[in-house]
Amino acid sequence: MRTTIRFGQSLLVAAALAACMPALAQEARRVAPDQLPHLWILLNRDVSVDVPNSGVNIYKPSCVAVTYMIGSDGAPMNVQVAKMVPASDLGKAAVSAVSNFRYGPSLTNSSHAPVATYYVIPFNAPDDPTQRDQLMAPCKLAGYGQA
């Protein structure tokens, strides 16, 4: 009888681990934004964004880094603000924008492998590319590897 209970418990543990494996596998693959096109291609030409009419620092040049998972269907999941410079009320606008992204798999991603990545959104950024890059630099996130 004891053997049956242990076997049953082992089977239960194995089933629980198997159920968690897709989520664990999804979390493990982190891709830098510049490497993302090797796996997923952004399909949107424009997105709708909910921008507040008033709030803290909403008219100052700023950036917001948003982390998210691209699911096997190409839709962003678990969209969260990871960094905002300077602090402002634009986090919800950034989450709104990224939540509306839609991706298609690249030719090298025929399995539609989900990946974690991030996107830096500039607000009130200057037109000059050098100044724009300087504005966005503080919002870059470490820990996202190569495709």
Side-chain angles (χ1 to χ4, degrees):
M1 186 96 152
R2 232 179 190 173
T3 305
T4 305
I5 293 172
R6 285 187 183 157
F7 177 73
Q9 289 172 342
S10 297
L11 191 58
L12 182 62
V13 169
L17 285 173
C20 293
M21 288 309 271
L24 293 174
Q26 288 179 2
E27 291 297 326
R29 187 85 188 265
R30 297 175 108 194
V31 178
D34 61 336
Q35 295 297 311
L36 188 60
H38 295 290
L39 297 166
W40 290 96
I41 299 166
L42 185 62
L43 300 175
N44 302 70
R45 297 188 110 188
D46 55 15
V47 294
S48 297
V49 179
D50 296 326
V51 180
N53 291 328
S54 62
V56 176
N57 290 332
I58 65 167
Y59 297 109
K60 282 185 111 176
S62 61
C63 63
V64 179
V66 179
T67 59
Y68 57 103
M69 174 81 63
I70 299 172
S72 59
D73 62 354
M77 304 182 301
N78 306 327
V79 182
Q80 299 177 10
V81 171
K83 197 171 197 181
M84 192 177 331
V85 178
S88 71
D89 288 336
L90 292 169
K92 288 182 183 178
V95 168
S96 167
V98 172
S99 294
N100 288 313
F101 287 177
R102 291 300 174 262
Y103 291 90
S106 71
L107 294 176
T108 60
N109 188 13
S110 59
S111 66
H112 298 217
V115 295
T117 191
Y118 73 96
Y119 192 86
V120 177
I121 300 176
F123 288 97
N124 305 308
D127 292 332
D128 176 20
T130 303
Q131 291 177 341
R132 186 184 198 91
D133 289 345
Q134 288 174 347
L135 173 69
M136 293 174 60
C139 285
K140 289 186 179 178
L141 301 176
Y144 288 82
Q146 300 295 322

